[in-house]
Each structure stands twice: as structure tokens, then as C-alpha cells.
Amino acid sequence: MSKEPLVLYNKNGPVVTVTLNRPEKLNAITHEFHHQLNAALRKFNDDPETYIVVLNANGRAFCAGRDIAAQAQSSSPVTHGLDPETTQFGVIPVEKLVITSCRGHAIGVGGYMAMYGDVRVVSETFNFALMELPTAMLGPYWIGQEETLPRAVAFRLAVGDRFTTDELKHWGLVTEVVPDAQLESATQRWVDYLLSLPRQHLLETKRLMQEIGYQYSRETYKKEMDVRAHLDSLNDTREAALAFVEKRKPKFTGS
């Protein structure tokens, strides 16, 4: 029996739905999951017939972050073998329109992917935190510039503080918060609205917004990977993963 894909791809005219499909693990990301997701986004990027992608997930969580249990069992650093085109959002660049549709946990890389959307529709169950730093990974140092946030707000996000949906709305980090039962219909409403706009005007508007906004360059990526390689080698990084598996509070030593 063939194993079900970790990422589902469904094309409907100009619209593609990419669905995270590991619900039994709250869609926690492994290296294989990461590669399948980027393959789906490349397929969307390369298809001239499509220009809107909806990124959603099966199950009660959008994405609980990286699979820390798998990390604890692996002898390789977390960042080893990642797609070299990966952006700060944990996926490859997409020049066309992205709608993220999320319920439940969006933690760590799951939170980054939720913020990848040009339109971000979340349900009232949305549970958002960028928990990389508390789990001994590099925090989102770029978040203030990317989201044009006050420094104090950006620092809260960078150190893994949890934001309520009201706070997310206040700081413009989500487009719309809806009752859980209305998530799919609200997402479709945004799809229909984008489809009603002139395609080329829409795409050029996004392109110019990206060009004048914060630029996550290849040089930044290289600097980040150098820092990550150093952090991956530290005892605290291993301790964080082991503590998660053993269900205890980590004992960080600064080494």
C-alpha cells in the first residue's frame, strides 16, 4: 500500500490548493515534509495557468512547527539538507498570490508559513507563536522589518510570546479572524474577490510591493545559515530537543 502524500495538490482552473497532510502529528514538519511542500509550491509557480494558491491543512492544526521528536532522534543538524531557496517563512519564494487559511496551532515554522500569505484568514481557534528561540533555534530577527512592527512588539514575537487573535488583528498580522465553522467559506470569499480583479494588475501590484519592502536576500540567507550552523552545534540545541521528548523543562547552560 502506498503511503499518502504529506502534501496534497489540487488545481481548479487558476486556483491551486496546497494542503498539509500529516494531521495525526498536527502537521509537524520533517525534512521530507519540507521538500514535498516546496515541490508543490514550485509546481504552482511553474504553471502559467495558475496565479492564486491557498495554503491550508488537514486536521485540527495548521502546523505545530518542526518535528522536535524527529530532531532529537536525528544525528544531523536541523538545517542540514533544507532547500537552498527557502525564505525566512520556511518555504520557497512565490511570486503569485498566496492565501493562508489556518485553524488551531501555528507554531514556529507553522507560524512563519501562516504569515506567508498575502491574505491570512484564521479561525478563532488559531494558536500562534514563533517558538523557535524557546526551543533553541534562531529567533525571527527579521520580523519587525518584514511586518513593519514597533521594536517592542517584534521582540515579543522573536522570543516566542503568544499573541491572542485580538492582538494579531490589532498589529495587522492577520487579515481576518472568523468562527471556526466559517473558515473555508471566508477563505473562498477572498479567493473569489482576488479572481474578480484584473490578473496582471494584481500580480504587478504584489511584485512592486515586494520590491520596495523588506528584502530577504541570498546574502542574508547565507549569514543566517552560518549562524544556524553554529547554534546547531551547541549543547543547548540538543538539550531542548531531548527535554521536549522527555516532557521536562530544558536545562540550558549557555553552551
Side-chain angles (χ1 to χ4, degrees), residues 121-133:
V121 187
V122 305
S123 89
E124 292 172 338
T125 66
F126 193 57
N127 182 2
F128 174 86
L130 304 181
M131 293 290 290
E132 300 303 275
L133 200 152

Side-chain angles (χ1 to χ4, degrees), residues 3 39-40 45 100 120 136 172 179 212 214:
K3 188 166 66 171
N45 265 341
T100 49
R120 308 162 188 177
I212 67 172
Y214 170 70

Side-chain angles (χ1 to χ4, degrees), residues 137-203:
M137 295 290 288
L138 182 67
Y141 59 91
W142 45 267
I143 194 70
Q145 287 181 285
E146 176 67 46
E147 298 292 331
T148 59
L149 296 169
R151 182 173 178 178
V153 178
F155 190 78
R156 281 184 61 197
L157 285 168
V159 299
D161 195 13
R162 291 180 183 268
F163 276 42
T164 66
T165 52
D166 285 342
E167 287 181 301
L168 294 172
K169 286 172 62 178
H170 175 77
W171 293 112
L173 292 166
V174 296
T175 305
E176 187 174 4
V177 180
V178 298
D180 191 68
Q182 296 177 23
L183 179 62
E184 285 73 21
S185 60
T187 301
Q188 186 59 49
R189 175 164 41 80
W190 278 101
V191 169
D192 293 340
Y193 177 67
L194 294 182
L195 287 172
S196 75
L197 301 174
R199 172 173 175 167
Q200 291 303 318
H201 297 69
L202 186 59
L203 293 173

Side-chain angles (χ1 to χ4, degrees), residues 49-230:
E49 296 178 355
T50 65
Y51 68 101
I52 298 171
V53 64
V54 176
L55 179 59
N56 63 12
N58 282 334
R60 59 190 176 89
F62 177 68
C63 174
R66 72 188 187 283
D67 190 327
I68 301 179
Q71 174 190 337
Q73 296 168 2
S74 175
S75 59
S76 299
V78 177
T79 52
H80 180 73
L82 291 183
D83 191 310
E85 292 188 21
T86 298
T87 68
Q88 72 270 39
F89 293 106
V91 292
I92 63 167
V94 172
E95 296 179 356
K96 299 185 249 186
L97 281 300
V98 181
I99 299 174
T100 49
S101 179
C102 314
R103 58 168 46 90
H105 292 298
I107 308 298
V109 68
Y112 300 150
M113 290 192 296
M115 291 196 301
Y116 194 47
D118 304 298
V119 175
R120 308 162 188 177
V121 187
V122 305
S123 89
E124 292 172 338
T125 66
F126 193 57
N127 182 2
F128 174 86
L130 304 181
M131 293 290 290
E132 300 303 275
L133 200 152
T135 56
M137 295 290 288
L138 182 67
Y141 59 91
W142 45 267
I143 194 70
Q145 287 181 285
E146 176 67 46
E147 298 292 331
T148 59
L149 296 169
R151 182 173 178 178
V153 178
F155 190 78
R156 281 184 61 197
L157 285 168
V159 299
D161 195 13
R162 291 180 183 268
F163 276 42
T164 66
T165 52
D166 285 342
E167 287 181 301
L168 294 172
K169 286 172 62 178
H170 175 77
W171 293 112
L173 292 166
V174 296
T175 305
E176 187 174 4
V177 180
V178 298
D180 191 68
Q182 296 177 23
L183 179 62
E184 285 73 21
S185 60
T187 301
Q188 186 59 49
R189 175 164 41 80
W190 278 101
V191 169
D192 293 340
Y193 177 67
L194 294 182
L195 287 172
S196 75
L197 301 174
R199 172 173 175 167
Q200 291 303 318
H201 297 69
L202 186 59
L203 293 173
E204 288 299 318
T205 298
K206 173 173 177 174
R207 181 181 66 81
L208 289 174
M209 287 180 71
Q210 287 182 310
E211 283 189 5
I212 67 172
Y214 170 70
Q215 297 295 316
Y216 183 80
S217 65
R218 288 297 93 193
E219 291 76 16
T220 303
Y221 176 83
K222 184 181 184 307
K223 290 178 182 178
E224 179 179 317
M225 288 302 107
D226 289 343
V227 173
R228 287 185 179 276
H230 168 66

Side-chain angles (χ1 to χ4, degrees), residues 15-31:
V15 181
V16 165
T17 300
V18 172
T19 303
L20 307 181
N21 189 41
R22 199 189 181 205
E24 73 284 359
K25 295 293 186 179
L26 301 183
N27 295 306
I29 297 291
T30 61
H31 277 71

